[in-house]
Amino acid sequence: MATLRFHALKQVHRHKPIHIEEKVRRSEIFGANVFNETTMRQYLTKEAFQSVMDAISKGSKIDRSIADHISTGMKEWAISKNATHYTHWFQPLTGATAEKHDAFFETIGSGLAIEKFEGGQLVQQEPDASSFPNGGIRNTFEARGYTAWDPTSPAFIYGTTLCIPTVFVAYTGEALDYKTPLLRALQAVDSAAVAVCKYFDKNVKKVNASLGWEQEYFLIDSGLAMSRPDIVLTGRTLLGHSAAKGQQLDDHYFGTIPNRAMAFMRDLETESMLLGIPVKTRHNEVAPNQFELAPIYEEANLAVDHNSLLMDVMDKIAGRHNFKVLFHEKPFAGVNGSGKHNNWSLSTNTGINLLSPGKTPMSNLQFLTFFINTIKAVYDNEELLRASIASASNDHRLGANEAPPAIISVFIGAQLTKVLNELENVTDGKLSPQEKTDLKLNVVGKIPDVLLDNTDRNRTSPFAFTGNKFEFRAVGSTANCANPMTVLNSIVAQQLIDFREEVEGLISEKTMKKDDAIFNVLREYIKASKNILFEGNGYGDEWEKEAKKRGLSNNKTTPEALKAKVSKKAIRLFEELGVMNKVESEARYEIEVEEYALRIQIEGRVLADIARNHVVPTAVKYQNILIENVKGLKEIYGASFKKLAKEQLNLIEQISSHIEGINSKVTKMTDERKKANTVENLEKKAHLYCNKVKPLFEDIRYHCDKLELLVDDELWPLTKYRELLFTY
Ligand code: ADP
Ligand code: MG
């Protein structure tokens, strides 16, 4: 057999696990390739070191002359680690990371050369950025953007390149990347949360958002993956009949990690350690060949960078092990898809997690304040939160009968539900001393510091409180976490600002005491945002009906979901917080709508190609074999051949009918695509791709998959599900 499929299958068994020797403790190599605090102390002058630290903790500006000292120290360190190049490392709106390497090397005449890296090169660069998505922000004559150093995320060496995390902005000031709005949102939530913390502890000066992501992925033999044009071009299989065995035996989840996968993981973990990515957990996931990796949580901006970097590292290390990593949310029909849970919390410079119940009634009141404000923020902005995770690939999970639904709801567990119910009954207005004592001792004071029922979590909830953090589970595995993190931190920031205003209002207008005012506002919030709380099964039809009654949105497709990004409310929210201006919000919307259409367009083309150029010719070939066979039988047996050729004749007819099915649906899809392509308006185009083109995928796939079951296995050119998912 000359097909790629058989060639790839033959190769698989030659790929033995690569043995990785680990002689050092991981803690010893952790951060070895990062320009971290310890390294900075070693390579920077005291003044330079202090100025970086101030930039990190207070956001203060770094003086240009000091930047020269820093760049020199950074260069010395990088060269000592065998780096030859440097790059500004950023995250344009393609979702991937971008880098353009420049050598330290410079000639100085007379045939001599030196290694050079100046402050200016550290602080700002001007990559030729005209080919990055910008949503019309930069018109061609102003097609310039620049990258600027983000000192809050440390520089690192990747391979032989010094990478400097940067923001990417247009010369007109608008953000062209994911990091800029995220940093602004983190700033907003910091100042809003500090102001609220002052009610409880005057010593709080800074509040950091934390993020702990969990990355799910599939690991497929690279030869097998490469033999599938759909995986190569779209990251997922567009067709393929389910294997006889899938995940029904539940034998993969937390099972023994296969040797080859384990070798990959160890190699990956070593590289992550060097880069300072604190990976901690690894395990098999639900679907065959599906795995998960999770780090120890970090400050959100750093965690976002680390996730982006890790995805890149995974890709590279996988290559070394003859694997291909699939990050797509739904690479295979019929088995679980992949997500990226975003575990989120807020913590103070005094070492308190604001989403963790404390030991005293006062610290618990602080916990409840942040807990309830978060719930209110999610309720008031559920559509925007849904929009922040919308993508063509995530549509396959959300609302497609796979965890979690496209409806945003919040799970808090039985214990906290009880607490909220009791708080809801707090008297309107000033509380009597007896009431206050009661409340503090018996309600607020009784929250256990370990929330037991939250360990048995409702896995169907898209946004769940899990003991000391909220877990945003609807995020897709391919997503850049900056997008949902920008929205979540922004809506919470806005909510905390509103909360403080209301509390202050009650204190000054109704001369309430601080505690009375806080209880009163929280009570109203609980009443107002009750509808977002849901503890039941999120997959059920009943929930869809119930959610509709509650007025919650259920935006199942990306074009529908994205609209919330440019609602008046969303634009105002981001504007008021200084996270994004109107132009930036609209540009992002346009980029994402266009990306959606482009992705479906690519899938449509690939599917049509595979169906017409791979599947149909194979089916015809097999049908011809059958026809020859029938002719032969007729020649030998004469009139009685029909009885003997019953199965063959039946197959011939079935094949014809499926070929006809493919032909008519592919033709129809091509027509719909042509129609969509003539539409200029990006929003309309996306809707056409979503509602007219995409639905035909299923029909085409149906006929192809049926043919896969009919046609001789030896002729079938496409690597099958059982091979992709069970061979390694
Ligand atoms: P799972 O949800 O799979 O049971 P864990 O509960 O172990 O996983 O935690 C998953 C992620 O949550 C990890 O990345 C972990 O670092 C992160 N995490 C734990 N505590 C916090 C917190 N307070 N804030 C943010 N992330 C956290
Ligand atoms: Mg989790």
Side-chain angles (χ1 to χ4, degrees):
M1 273 300 140
T3 65
L4 218 47
R5 173 183 167 216
F6 286 94
H7 179 73
L9 280 169
K10 255 196 215 154
Q11 293 294 323
V12 175
H13 302 287
R14 299 208 182 129
H15 297 150
K16 297 276 178 286
I18 299 175
H19 182 66
I20 308 288
E21 283 233 17
E22 277 176 295
K23 293 207 185 99
V24 286
R25 289 184 194 192
R26 294 192 166 178
S27 56
E28 282 169 18
I29 57 167
F30 182 70
N33 291 349
V34 181
F35 199 56
N36 55 22
E37 232 181 282
T38 320
T39 324
M40 279 197 284
R41 277 182 201 280
Q42 222 176 313
Y43 281 88
L44 298 184
T45 59
K46 240 189 180 155
E47 199 190 7
F49 173 76
Q50 199 48 51
S51 112
V52 178
M53 295 317 283
D54 286 350
I56 295 171
S57 61
K58 298 182 206 141
S60 56
K61 274 218 150 52
I62 291 175
D63 195 79
R64 205 55 179 240
S65 64
I66 291 184
D68 277 329
H69 289 293
I70 301 170
S71 65
T72 306
M74 225 185 236
K75 180 195 71 183
E76 289 311 314
W77 168 73
I79 290 173
S80 79
K81 294 250 158 207
N82 300 324
T84 55
H85 289 66
Y86 66 92
T87 182
H88 275 197
W89 183 84
F90 58 104
Q91 296 162 53
L93 296 167
T94 53
T97 56
E99 44 193 275
K100 177 193 158 229
H101 301 181
D102 281 301
F104 292 124
F105 165 86
E106 248 173 62
T107 52
I108 50 167
S110 318
L112 299 174
I114 54 164
E115 316 279 346
K116 202 168 154 196
F117 183 50
E118 287 177 342
Q121 293 161 311
L122 164 68
V123 173
Q124 191 169 314
Q125 291 270 303
E126 197 182 313
D128 176 15
S130 49
S131 295
F132 291 111
N134 60 63
I137 283 179
R138 288 177 285 116
N139 37 35
T140 34
F141 64 88
E142 241 312 347
R144 292 196 308 164
Y146 65 93
T147 51
W149 180 32
D150 165 23
T152 62
S153 182
F156 56 91
I157 293 171
Y158 190 24
T160 51
T161 304
L162 169 67
C163 298
I164 299 145
T166 55
V167 295
F168 180 37
V169 278
Y171 261 94
T172 39
E174 288 90 3
L176 296 170
D177 67 349
Y178 279 111
K179 191 191 263 278
T180 307
L182 174 67
L183 289 173
R184 294 175 186 156
L186 293 172
Q187 170 68 43
V189 83
D190 175 14
S191 69
V194 166
V196 171
C197 282
K198 296 272 190 226
Y199 287 136
F200 308 96
D201 179 359
K202 294 261 183 292
N203 295 319
V204 173
K205 299 255 169 347
K206 181 156 177 76
V207 170
N208 268 328
S210 307
L211 165 65
W213 39 263
E214 302 164 56
Q215 180 71 54
E216 292 183 332
Y217 61 98
F218 280 80
L219 212 48
I220 306 296
D221 180 87
S222 56
L224 298 181
M226 291 310 143
S227 72
R228 295 273 314 213
D230 45 359
I231 294 183
V232 172
L233 295 176
T234 71
R236 73 172 178 116
T237 57
L238 296 169
L239 45 81
H241 200 280
S242 304
K245 177 177 184 282
Q247 61 191 42
Q248 64 272 59
L249 297 176
D250 291 330
D251 52 355
H252 195 256
Y253 192 58
F254 282 14
T256 325
I257 300 173
N259 286 341
R260 248 183 93 187
M262 181 62 104
F264 157 80
M265 288 177 190
R266 292 185 74 92
D267 208 359
L268 172 63
E269 285 161 1
T270 303
E271 188 64 37
S272 301
M273 284 294 118
L274 292 170
L275 290 166
I277 308 172
V279 294
K280 179 143 174 95
T281 311
R282 61 182 182 214
H283 61 79
N284 284 9
E285 259 304 325
V286 174
N289 278 358
Q290 190 190 27
F291 306 93
E292 180 185 299
L293 172 148
I296 296 167
Y297 66 93
E298 300 175 282
E299 185 280 319
N301 174 43
L302 184 59
V304 167
D305 280 358
H306 277 169
N307 181 249
S308 297
L309 177 59
L310 177 98
M311 288 168 80
D312 194 70
V313 176
M314 285 173 82
D315 226 34
K316 292 204 166 89
I317 305 266
R320 239 188 256 168
H321 292 258
N322 296 302
F323 275 129
K324 168 102 185 123
V325 180
L326 304 184
F327 286 115
H328 195 285
E329 280 81 352
K330 192 78 181 172
F332 303 98
V335 294
N336 261 44
S338 302
K340 177 149 54 196
H341 297 178
N342 276 207
N343 295 271
W344 172 88
S345 64
L346 293 171
S347 65
T348 65
N349 62 311
T350 54
I352 301 295
N353 174 358
L354 295 168
L355 288 170
S356 184
K359 299 218 182 306
T360 63
M362 204 54 187
S363 61
N364 275 345
L365 186 56
Q366 175 171 277
F367 157 70
L368 283 172
T369 298
F370 282 91
F371 177 70
I372 293 167
N373 271 290
T374 304
I375 295 171
K376 174 90 169 15
V378 172
Y379 178 57
D380 289 343
N381 300 281
E382 43 100 6
E383 267 197 294
L384 185 58
L385 209 51
R386 162 70 182 99
S388 77
I389 48 157
S391 70
S393 49
N394 209 15
D395 279 359
H396 292 278
R397 291 171 69 231
L398 306 179
N401 223 348
E402 164 142 359
I407 308 160
I408 299 290
S409 64
V410 182
F411 169 88
I412 59 171
Q415 284 171 316
L416 285 166
T417 302
K418 198 166 150 256
V419 172
L420 294 200
N421 285 341
E422 292 186 46
L423 277 180
E424 200 186 330
N425 297 320
V426 170
T427 320
D428 203 348
K430 277 187 196 168
L431 280 71
S432 71
Q434 179 58 39
E435 256 182 316
K436 232 191 266 185
T437 313
D438 238 33
L439 207 57
K440 283 189 179 166
L441 289 181
N442 297 327
V443 182
V444 180
K446 281 258 169 75
I447 302 172
D449 51 2
V450 181
L451 292 157
L452 287 177
D453 62 320
N454 280 302
T455 51
D456 180 27
R457 289 161 270 183
N458 182 337
R459 288 270 153 196
T460 66
S461 178
F463 199 91
F465 184 71
T466 51
N468 61 357
K469 61 191 190 281
F470 278 99
E471 191 169 337
F472 190 12
R473 299 217 188 91
V475 185
S477 47
T478 56
N480 184 314
C481 301
N483 208 342
M485 279 297 114
T486 299
V487 170
L488 181 57
N489 287 294
S490 295
I491 63 178
V492 171
Q494 185 58 56
Q495 179 53 50
L496 291 171
I497 291 170
D498 295 347
F499 171 77
R500 195 163 169 281
E501 254 171 40
E502 289 183 60
V503 170
E504 292 300 312
L506 289 183
I507 293 173
S508 64
E509 284 161 33
K510 304 209 170 162
T511 60
M512 274 191 196
K513 283 242 172 62
K514 183 183 74 186
D515 290 4
D516 294 293
I518 291 174
F519 277 124
N520 269 279
V521 175
L522 290 182
R523 180 196 58 229
E524 292 312 307
Y525 283 179
I526 294 169
K527 282 189 193 158
S529 49
K530 248 179 163 176
N531 274 346
I532 199 82
L533 298 179
F534 179 63
E535 305 280 303
N537 174 17
Y539 297 178
D541 290 341
E542 302 88 68
W543 172 228
E544 272 200 52
K545 282 184 211 136
E546 166 71 19
K548 196 169 179 189
K549 261 194 241 153
R550 294 189 190 187
L552 299 177
S553 71
N554 185 5
N555 296 326
K556 290 194 173 177
T557 67
T558 292
E560 220 182 310
L562 284 177
K563 278 188 201 142
K565 289 203 169 190
V566 281
S567 69
K568 277 204 180 109
K569 188 172 146 193
I571 288 175
R572 192 167 0 103
L573 169 86
F574 289 128
E575 245 170 2
E576 282 179 8
L577 291 171
V579 171
M580 284 190 280
N581 61 28
K582 189 162 183 258
V583 175
E584 290 170 308
S585 287
E586 284 173 347
R588 261 147 230 262
Y589 173 69
E590 198 176 292
I591 289 168
E592 290 185 43
V593 165
E594 183 173 26
E595 180 180 346
Y596 177 85
L598 291 173
R599 293 224 180 253
I600 304 295
Q601 182 181 52
I602 294 169
E603 289 192 346
R605 286 179 184 153
V606 174
L607 182 59
D609 167 46
I610 297 178
R612 279 224 162 110
N613 303 331
H614 298 235
V615 173
V616 170
T618 308
V620 169
K621 219 183 270 174
Y622 182 53
Q623 197 182 39
N624 279 338
I625 293 174
L626 294 168
I627 289 169
E628 277 308 307
N629 178 271
V630 173
K631 277 188 190 159
L633 289 172
K634 191 175 177 186
E635 224 174 87
I636 300 170
Y637 295 100
S640 59
F641 87 100
K642 271 201 177 152
K643 205 172 134 215
L644 294 167
K646 206 168 152 201
E647 166 80 347
Q648 293 86 320
L649 289 166
N650 181 12
L651 280 173
I652 289 166
E653 277 165 34
Q654 279 190 59
I655 289 171
S656 279
S657 100
H658 290 305
I659 289 175
E660 163 46 25
I662 290 174
N663 178 47
S664 66
K665 298 296 178 188
V666 169
T667 304
K668 184 148 184 247
M669 180 175 71
T670 311
D671 288 345
E672 293 293 353
R673 275 204 293 118
K674 278 187 190 144
K675 266 191 238 162
N677 290 344
T678 59
V679 176
E680 290 270 329
N681 180 301
L682 292 174
E683 192 176 292
K684 277 195 192 127
K685 186 183 272 190
H687 276 92
L688 287 176
Y689 266 102
C690 178
N691 301 318
K692 298 284 180 194
V693 178
K694 197 169 147 253
L696 292 163
F697 289 6
E698 278 314 300
D699 297 331
I700 297 168
R701 176 180 191 143
Y702 169 81
H703 293 292
C704 293
D705 290 356
K706 284 285 175 204
L707 283 170
E708 183 184 324
L709 290 187
L710 301 177
V711 170
D712 182 359
D713 182 68
E714 270 195 39
L715 294 177
W716 197 253
L718 294 160
T719 306
K720 295 184 173 180
Y721 265 36
R722 64 160 192 268
E723 294 155 347
L724 289 165
L725 288 171
F726 293 95
T727 319
Y728 41 78

